[in-house]
Amino acid sequence: MKLTDLPYLSSLRAQALQKHGIDSPEDLLMLFPFRYIDRTRVQSLSSLQGEQENITIIGTIKAIRDAGFDRKKRVEIILQDKQGAEVKGVWFRGGGYFKREYKTGEQVSFFGTVRIFGRDLSMAHPEVERIRSDREIETLKRIVPVYPGNSEFSKARITHRMLHNWINRILEQLPIQEFLPESLLESLSLPVRNQAFQAIHNPETMEAPAAALERFKFEELFLFELSMARLKQVCIEPLEGHRFSGPGSYTETFLNDLLPFQLTNGQSDALEDIRKDLTSGRQMHRLLQGDVGSGKTVVAAGAILMAMDSGYQAVLMAPTEILAEQHYHTLTRLLGELNLEIRLLTGGQSSRLRRDLLTAIEGGACDLVVGTHAVIQQGVRFRKLGLAVVDEQHRFGVQQRSAILGKGDHPHLLAMSATPIPRSLAMTLYSDLDLSTIRELPAGREPVRTAVRTEKARDDLYRFLEQNIDEGGQAYIVYPLVEESSAMDLKDATLGLQKIQHRFPGLEAGLVHGRMSQEEKEHVMGRFYNGELKILVATTVIEVGVDVPNANVMIIEHAERFGLSQLHQLRGRIGRGERQSYCILMPGEKVGNSARIRLKKMVETGDGFEIAETDLKLRGPGDFLGTKQSGLPEFRYADIVEDQWLLARAKESAWSLMRRDPDLSAPEHRELARVFEPVFRERAAWFGLG
């Protein structure tokens, strides 16, 4: 069957369907109603009691007439039953059609909302159907699907009824193949595909479409998770030739002798996960996530040393030069006594330094390279790369992640994220990665106290700030813009610095923002780190930055303009020393409901995972991730926030099936293989594996 076989499908209508992504009968079947009208209630005119919504009434046309003048001109049809009760149908536009089509004495039905105007009961623009026999009255009692429309459909005069008739013609003539295994459908109590389509387009009850929609949600989630399971099967290669030997002298010395504190349970568990991966004989693809300050870098250091214990090089890639330099200094300090060669590679280095560094990397004289995306550029060649660590990995595309793995012979991958990823996102976006989570903070860390303050409290706030600095503390003051915007009434960082310098003339204050050169930012941040600057006025460039232990106060101006996860990341810049830390949220005068929820959540909890779940519900997956290169698929029916339980079942079922029948070659999986292969090719192409 072809679309062109449908009745009344003109070329104009075919073009309108095509613009909506409908090129085949199967595509039209997948155009689901966005709501349903319950027309099962048929009521007699005599029994009407006042105003009612969405009811069907039946009667005989007593009169058809014009009424009113000018803008109040209208067509009225008076409907009457055998008892003499009347309802008036009113059309302020389009009434000429009814004058031509219907005549007095005909039996018809009205569907719509009954209203009272004066003494009369009336329906404005009701749907009208002619009734030729008592049997047709029963056909009125149905659930009516309402399909999504658009301007192209309107121009082509494609109506809801026309779409419904086309879809029913397809359901009658097109064989619908089931491709999900029968055992899977039975275990989840899901309908077969043909029954699900019938329930979506011709439901017998108002509850029927929801159960059928669940099947189609599961279907697309299952196909996606199946493709991710296949990708992991394809990407993670056996490492029989260079299996890691496990922790050796470097790792043992670091953990037992050099580390100045005891690992948390989360850090220990994560290191054990990594050890098992590295010694398994399979390529590690692991995501280590933990809140800001949870100690992920120490875990990464342990993984790096395990690589070196087995004679391999390692690389750590960070999204910004500031963060790369912080990791370089931290790892140099932590591992300094092991006499390892640790080098920093960024885009802003001199040509001579870069040449020397590239020679050391290729020759094997460099054990660990810490850098930005410069580490994946052409010309960077490793002698024996065994481990790649990617920090703040959500800021990199999958292709960049693949590029760093291409620098060695299937090196292990450890991705890290200080942005807690809600469980539903982790199950979709990072299905190709195993997950380790650090939930607790190191011992001795005091939670940051957070409060919302208005402009009236500014003088008191500045007095508190002055006292805190006198006691040895430092402070961040964060603004959403660098310079004043005429479009939005926001305080800007440049003007903010001037006000701070005027209010605190005896204190050194500095400014850092994204438009400054790297050298300028480093200079200012260095002065703040060394304690020369007591106050740092900044934009969100500090969201990922160096740790300053004495910085224990943060004031966030126009806090309502920041996302919830961004506020949490900013707050993570403080609370890293022994002092009690304070985060003060200063909203503007106009704060919407969503902003109030965000600010309230920041005050209530410091748990990044709880904050991330709230942020995901408020913003949705696309805005939460902030970039389409994240790899999150656009599901047509499923919502990974609302349908988390279904997503979990889809992942469990898909990965279990891939383990049992990786090629989908079993007879009962042949139809699934036919549907799955195009889905997998599209996903593989996105990962650069076309």
Side-chain angles (χ1 to χ4, degrees):
M1 184 184 185
K2 299 178 181 178
L3 273 182
T4 51
D5 296 332
L6 297 174
Y8 311 112
L9 185 65
S10 64
S11 58
L12 180 62
R13 285 171 177 159
Q15 289 173 10
L17 291 176
Q18 193 172 36
K19 288 181 180 178
H20 200 68
I22 298 171
D23 298 306
S24 68
E26 291 85 354
D27 292 337
L28 195 52
L29 284 183
M30 301 305 289
L31 180 68
F32 289 178
F34 71 94
R35 67 184 178 95
Y36 296 87
I37 299 173
D38 186 354
R39 293 185 58 167
T40 59
R41 288 197 305 157
V42 177
Q43 198 161 342
S44 66
L45 300 184
S46 302
S47 65
L48 281 177
Q49 298 292 327
E51 298 186 347
Q52 295 189 48
E53 294 185 354
N54 296 333
I55 65 166
T56 298
I57 55 177
I58 298 172
T60 301
I61 297 177
K62 177 183 177 182
I64 303 175
R65 66 194 183 200
D66 292 317
F69 300 96
D70 300 325
R71 286 184 296 177
K72 294 186 177 181
K73 189 173 182 179
R74 59 196 181 275
V75 171
E76 297 179 346
I77 295 181
I78 309 302
L79 203 63
Q80 188 182 60
D81 69 1
K82 293 178 182 178
Q83 286 73 38
E86 295 181 356
V87 169
K88 185 190 301 179
V90 181
W91 287 265
F92 292 94
R93 57 186 182 280
Y97 168 81
F98 296 99
K99 288 173 63 178
R100 293 190 303 272
E101 286 294 314
Y102 295 94
K103 295 180 175 56
T104 56
E106 286 189 299
Q107 189 178 31
V108 298
S109 70
F110 282 179
F111 173 79
T113 297
V114 176
R115 293 282 185 258
I116 299 175
F117 288 96
R119 298 180 187 177
D120 298 328
L121 295 175
S122 67
M123 280 185 171
H125 296 265
E127 294 184 28
V128 184
E129 291 191 43
R130 186 178 282 110
I131 299 174
R132 297 180 178 86
S133 66
D134 290 342
R135 190 178 66 179
E136 289 187 354
I137 294 177
E138 288 303 311
T139 66
L140 295 173
K141 299 177 182 180
R142 65 185 189 274
I143 309 296
V144 179
V146 180
Y147 293 92
N150 56 47
S151 59
E152 297 296 332
F153 281 14
S154 299
K155 290 176 186 175
R157 296 187 178 181
I158 297 176
T159 64
H160 297 298
R161 183 173 296 182
M162 186 177 291
L163 287 168
H164 193 218
N165 290 338
W166 283 344
I167 287 170
N168 280 334
R169 178 71 66 94
I170 295 169
L171 287 172
E172 290 171 2
Q173 298 185 9
L174 187 71
I176 296 174
Q177 298 293 329
E178 179 57 76
F179 61 83
L180 292 181
E182 183 179 350
S183 59
L184 183 58
L185 293 174
E186 289 179 356
S187 68
L188 297 170
S189 301
L190 295 175
V192 297
R193 213 159 192 262
N194 187 45
Q195 292 175 352
F197 276 127
Q198 287 290 349
I200 289 289
H201 296 294
N202 297 294
E204 295 182 359
T205 66
M206 289 294 281
E207 293 74 32
L213 182 60
E214 200 165 274
R215 181 245 147 78
F216 291 104
K217 288 180 177 182
F218 178 84
E219 179 181 299
E220 62 180 352
L221 291 171
F222 177 76
L223 288 173
F224 170 76
E225 290 293 348
L226 202 62
S227 67
M228 297 302 287
R230 170 73 66 80
L231 277 169
K232 189 166 186 178
Q233 183 186 69
V234 170
C235 294
I236 300 182
E237 301 290 338
L239 302 174
E240 298 302 332
H242 48 281
R243 180 196 298 256
F244 278 29
S245 58
S249 60
Y250 283 134
T251 310
E252 298 295 341
T253 301
F254 172 66
L255 295 177
N256 297 329
D257 301 329
L258 300 183
L259 204 60
F261 50 80
Q262 186 174 355
L263 295 177
T264 64
N265 291 334
Q267 289 173 314
S268 297
D269 291 344
L271 271 175
E272 178 60 16
D273 290 340
I274 291 167
R275 184 197 66 78
K276 289 178 180 177
D277 287 345
L278 296 179
T279 59
S280 68
R282 303 285 292 181
Q283 186 182 22
M284 177 174 73
H285 275 222
R286 182 165 293 277
L287 171 64
L288 174 63
Q289 67 167 349
D291 223 334
V292 175
S294 60
K296 296 181 298 298
T297 305
V298 170
V299 175
I304 289 167
L305 293 176
M306 289 184 206
M308 293 174 185
D309 278 326
S310 295
Y312 289 93
Q313 294 171 293
V315 59
L316 189 155
M317 182 169 71
T320 66
E321 292 196 9
I322 288 180
L323 187 55
E325 290 191 5
Q326 176 182 313
H327 280 307
Y328 171 73
H329 292 304
T330 299
L331 290 169
T332 300
R333 186 181 73 252
L334 285 173
L335 310 180
E337 294 186 34
L338 296 174
N339 296 319
L340 297 170
E341 185 65 22
I342 304 173
R343 302 290 293 272
L344 177 67
L345 176 60
T346 64
Q349 292 170 321
S350 67
S351 299
R352 180 177 178 180
L353 178 60
R354 181 180 174 82
R355 281 196 304 270
D356 292 344
L357 182 51
L358 295 183
T359 300
I361 295 171
E362 188 171 5
C366 178
D367 300 301
L368 169 62
V369 180
V370 180
T372 59
H373 63 278
V375 301
I376 60 175
Q377 293 176 347
Q378 287 186 347
V380 181
R381 300 181 183 88
F382 289 82
R383 181 174 180 272
K384 195 178 182 183
L385 180 62
L387 173 68
V389 181
V390 180
D391 192 25
E392 293 295 330
Q393 60 82 42
H394 64 284
R395 295 181 177 230
F396 293 100
V398 176
Q399 289 86 349
Q400 290 170 304
R401 210 168 77 193
S402 299
I404 197 169
L405 294 181
K407 292 294 182 181
D409 182 15
H410 302 107
H412 295 284
L413 172 69
L414 177 63
M416 300 196 298
S417 176
T419 301
I421 305 297
R423 180 171 175 267
S424 56
L425 276 184
M427 281 193 293
T428 49
L429 189 56
Y430 305 126
S431 280
D432 61 319
L433 299 173
D434 296 309
L435 183 64
S436 293
T437 301
I438 305 175
R439 287 193 171 271
E440 70 268 59
L441 295 178
R445 283 277 175 89
E446 291 287 340
V448 177
R449 295 181 185 175
T450 304
V452 177
R453 294 290 182 266
T454 63
E455 190 65 32
K456 293 179 181 178
R458 187 171 293 277
D459 288 341
D460 290 339
L461 177 59
Y462 280 167
R463 281 192 288 272
F464 165 75
L465 182 62
E466 195 167 28
Q467 179 183 347
N468 182 75
I469 292 173
D470 287 343
E471 294 172 356
Q474 291 173 270
Y476 292 100
I477 300 179
V478 184
Y479 288 84
L481 294 178
V482 176
E483 296 170 352
E484 190 173 359
S485 167
S486 58
M488 294 185 291
D489 181 23
L490 304 182
K491 298 183 177 73
D492 65 277
T494 307
L495 181 60
L497 175 63
Q498 296 173 8
K499 289 182 177 179
I500 289 297
Q501 288 172 330
H502 177 74
R503 175 61 178 78
F504 302 101
L507 297 177
E508 283 282 336
L511 173 67
V512 62
H513 57 75
R515 296 184 193 173
M516 296 168 64
S517 69
Q518 188 61 34
E519 290 183 0
E520 289 173 326
K521 283 187 286 190
E522 290 172 7
H523 176 69
V524 176
M525 290 297 294
R527 293 187 67 204
F528 188 61
Y529 181 81
N530 293 329
E532 297 174 43
L533 301 178
K534 299 301 181 183
I535 299 175
L536 184 64
V537 179
T539 60
T540 55
V541 69
I542 64 159
E543 182 181 349
V544 176
V546 297
D547 296 339
V548 182
N550 283 338
N552 67 324
V553 174
M554 176 174 286
I555 300 171
I556 302 179
E557 301 282 356
H558 273 289
E560 81 281 4
R561 297 284 181 172
F562 295 88
L564 190 50
S565 291
Q566 192 174 40
L567 286 172
H568 181 64
Q569 288 287 74
L570 287 168
R571 181 170 62 181
R573 291 297 99 213
I574 59 176
R576 292 170 171 265
E578 297 179 357
R579 299 174 181 275
Q580 176 62 58
S581 294
Y582 304 87
C583 180
I584 312 300
L585 308 174
M586 299 282 290
E589 293 181 5
K590 296 179 181 180
V591 180
N593 186 56
S594 178
R596 286 193 185 93
I597 294 173
R598 294 198 300 272
L599 299 180
K600 184 172 182 286
K601 178 58 68 173
M602 286 292 293
V603 173
E604 289 175 345
T605 183
D607 186 328
F609 293 93
E610 183 180 340
I611 286 172
E613 289 286 356
T614 302
D615 200 18
L616 180 62
K617 290 176 183 177
L618 287 173
R619 293 197 287 160
D623 287 341
F624 178 89
L625 294 167
T627 169
K628 289 208 168 185
Q629 64 134 18
S630 62
L632 187 69
E634 294 184 9
F635 295 119
R636 187 170 184 175
Y637 308 116
D639 183 317
I640 64 172
V641 180
E642 300 298 328
D643 301 317
Q644 290 191 36
W645 72 273
L646 201 59
L647 174 59
R649 293 299 300 271
K651 180 174 183 178
E652 177 188 348
S653 303
W655 288 68
S656 174
L657 177 60
M658 190 55 66
R659 285 192 294 269
R660 296 194 314 271
D661 186 12
D663 298 323
L664 300 180
S665 56
E668 63 269 25
H669 298 150
R670 284 174 186 166
E671 190 62 26
L672 174 60
R674 181 187 67 80
V675 175
F676 170 67
E677 288 306 324
V679 176
F680 175 70
R681 285 197 297 271
E682 180 180 350
R683 198 66 192 160
W686 197 93
F687 273 77
L689 300 173

